[in-house]
Amino acid sequence: MSRELSHVEHIKQRSRFLRGSLLESLADNHTGAIREDDTALIKFHGSYQQDDRDLREERRQQKLEPAYSFMIRTRTPGGVVTPEQWLALDAVAMRFANHSLRLTTRQAFQFHGVIKRELKATLQAINASLIDTVSACGDVNRNVLVSANPLLSQAHAEVHDWARRLSLHLKPSSRAYSELWLDEERIAGGEPESEPLYGETYLPRKFKIAFAIPPDNDVDVFAHDLGFIAVIENGVLAGFNVSVGGGMGATHGDASTYPLLGHLIGFVTPGQLFAVAEAVLTSQRDFGNREQRKHARLKYTIEKLGLDAFRREVESRAGFSLAPLRDFRFDHNGDRFGWREGHDGRWHLTLRIEAGRIADKPDALHLTGLREIAIVHTGEFRLTPNQNLVIANVGARQRGDIDAQVQRHGLDLYRHATPLRLNALACVALPTCGLAMAEAERYLPELLQKVEGLLKRHGLSNAPIHLRISGCPNGCSRPYLGEIALVGKAPGRYNLMLGADRQGQRLNALYRENIDETAFLAALDALFADYAAGRESDEGFGDFLLRRNVVQPARNIAIKVIP
Ligand code: SRM
Ligand code: SF4
């Protein structure tokens, strides 16, 4: 096997802590792009260079360069923003981006379509609202996920606070971001720069952390490199069960890449949280594969070292042994919609936002509606890990006003949509994602309508089936945890995956490869007929398919536990 470091490792190494030639790239008015090496570095600053793929061919024929623009992603741990911040981000979307806010599967906002000339002004406008984009992408710890309803008890709020602090603790210390985008001066003769936690080549690959609060597994905790499952005993946060080595990404046709669920390795108290997170992260930093990026995620590092050896390494770095796991039970992944009352009598409204895209469309002015709500709302907005939105912390007397605004602007999908529609996830895919092989977000409404038609035919309209679609096998909508998943292979063609559970504890498996819409609708039609006739009461669609041996469990179906 090659021992040559991957190309990106060299770029990081000579980047002077993520500066590279970004200044020169930004100053070059001859192109809408940045230099190639800088495209790897700008990710660490929370942005991706993209081009409009709908226009690619036309521009090529016109001998024009691709229609370059930049995607920007926020670092918003747990996805919490104030109404003032919401208004600032809305203004950024309207002034600099494509007039939409995109809520992601990691509780962040994305802006699409920002042109190079306005990139700096856009990042400054975001930072002016006290939100940054540091490490939203790149080979570092990414936005930290937290169960979306942390106000349901005092302990929920504590978990959220731990996640926020951990996100700060694991933030790179390079000043490159402030210098490049916020015009902060370098202090002459100051301390030489260093990255105590990451080192000058950062991590081998992206690194993702999530905090789950049972019984909700809305964060899909086992899909992350590092998962913390809160253990709340008698209303008090006792600590966290720790899971390591989850990840969704795979490459078509390369059996050495695959999605995996995390392994539970023990329990830590809140006071041990930072030490164990650092120990896992630095173990990955030191043992992760830096030659082949396809094999660089923690899941492969753990397979290489062995789970026991990995746990011993973590314990030795943390300076303590992990305690035995505590009991927990998940009953649900996905979100719970509608109003819920918090522990303190305040109210939280979870709205369905289809594919996370908030825009003004002819039939519904969602961006405008949420702007108007932000003007009067006195609580917060919370993004869910499933691309939805919580209008959080509302007084009992304000509920009526919020309801009226929600209804006026057609934001009340949660009241009448089928469970299928409420729970479906779609990644961005075309036209902005450079890796998309097939449509996802743009195809979702039509797809749902067709699948809903089939469900209706079999009397299954109320079946809470989880469907996820992604435009390629990278897994941004966590498709391998969908009871039904379509994973893009080519324009109009998908792999049909089936059989995950609804707790986020079992991966699905390949059912049919590289099929078109007619074929996968026909396959689903037949399976829905069987399900309608043969399901046991409350039996999930994925569970049914497994019981009937329609699909065989994929690798790593059960979560490996070290006793
Ligand atoms: Fe993702 C790459 C969008 C969550 C696995 N992801 C991308 C890029 C940046 C494409 C690229 O590299 O050029 C996509 C940008 C599309 C666009 O135009 O906006 C992209 N990923 C997204 C988002 C926006 C999907 C969404 O519709 O919500 C999510 C943003 C999350 C955030 O706020 O940080 C998003 N991506 C995920 C998730 C889900 C999660 O983290 O919970 C995964 C699977 C979990 C995992 O990481 O294992 C995921 N994205 C990937 C991968 C595959 C990684 C791997 O280990 O192989 C790539 C490709 C890569 O890294 O090389 C990728
Ligand atoms: Fe792009 Fe693939 Fe991620 Fe979808 S799953 S956003 S197509 S990288």
Side-chain angles (χ1 to χ4, degrees), residues 427-429 433 435-436 470-472 474-476:
C427 72
V428 177
C433 178
L435 305 177
S470 70
C472 85
N474 281 316
C476 299

Side-chain angles (χ1 to χ4, degrees), residues 62-309:
Q62 292 170 350
K63 303 205 174 351
L64 293 170
E65 74 171 13
Y68 290 117
S69 68
F70 291 80
M71 176 269 272
I72 298 175
R73 189 184 283 167
T74 60
R75 186 181 65 84
T76 32
V80 184
V81 295
T82 64
E84 294 73 28
Q85 288 173 324
W86 183 279
L87 291 173
L89 297 179
D90 168 285
V92 167
M94 293 304 289
R95 162 73 182 82
F96 297 109
N98 66 353
H99 297 188
S100 79
L101 284 172
R102 178 57 156 72
L103 315 186
T104 74
T105 49
R106 295 195 68 76
Q107 294 179 301
F109 292 89
Q110 277 191 188
F111 301 92
H112 290 101
V114 177
I115 54 171
K116 184 172 91 173
R117 173 155 48 80
E118 297 190 330
L119 195 50
K120 188 166 171 177
T122 312
L123 286 166
Q124 289 189 342
I126 294 170
N127 276 269
S129 71
L130 302 183
I131 290 175
D132 66 59
T133 65
V134 177
S135 300
C137 321
D139 298 341
V140 274
N141 175 50
R142 301 292 192 86
N143 197 39
V144 178
L145 295 198
V146 194
S147 188
N149 245 329
L151 295 179
L152 291 179
S153 71
Q154 187 51 39
H156 280 71
E158 257 181 77
V159 174
H160 185 267
D161 201 48
W162 278 110
R164 194 186 51 75
R165 286 162 54 198
L166 184 60
S167 170
L168 267 183
H169 186 71
L170 301 179
K171 201 171 144 184
S173 51
S174 164
R175 306 297 306 160
Y177 185 89
S178 314
E179 267 173 52
L180 282 167
W181 310 109
L182 308 178
D183 292 332
E184 195 176 279
E185 304 247 332
R186 272 196 107 163
I187 306 161
E191 286 286 301
E193 200 163 28
S194 70
E195 280 284 9
L197 190 59
Y198 289 104
E200 63 176 1
T201 48
Y202 295 83
L203 298 180
R205 205 66 165 83
K206 56 178 70 166
F207 186 85
K208 299 182 171 179
I209 301 179
F211 286 74
I213 305 177
D216 292 347
N217 188 15
D218 54 347
V219 296
D220 279 330
V221 70
F222 297 113
H224 302 265
D225 297 276
L226 177 56
F228 291 108
I229 300 167
V231 177
I232 298 171
E233 290 169 350
N234 302 320
V236 176
L237 177 65
F240 303 92
N241 288 317
V242 181
S243 104
V244 290
M248 295 278 103
T251 304
H252 285 312
D254 180 348
S256 71
T257 66
Y258 33 79
L260 275 184
L261 296 184
H263 316 285
L264 286 161
I265 56 169
F267 171 87
V268 292
T269 62
Q272 295 173 322
L273 180 76
F274 282 16
V276 90
E278 262 192 41
V280 173
L281 183 136
T282 59
S283 300
Q284 160 66 355
R285 178 195 66 196
D286 298 342
F287 294 103
N289 186 328
R290 289 186 186 260
E291 289 94 45
Q292 290 177 300
R293 289 182 66 78
K294 270 187 188 177
H295 298 139
R297 291 293 291 272
L298 179 63
K299 59 185 175 182
Y300 302 118
T301 312
I302 292 175
E303 293 222 319
K304 182 173 73 181
L305 297 179
L307 187 55
D308 278 327

Side-chain angles (χ1 to χ4, degrees), residues 24 249 251 327 349 427 471:
E24 292 80 355
T251 304
D327 284 346
L349 174 63
C427 72

Side-chain angles (χ1 to χ4, degrees), residues 481-499:
L481 283 164
E483 290 179 289
I484 302 174
L486 292 166
V487 175
K489 262 234 113 168
R493 301 191 77 85
Y494 298 85
N495 285 353
L496 176 60
M497 320 272 305
L498 298 171

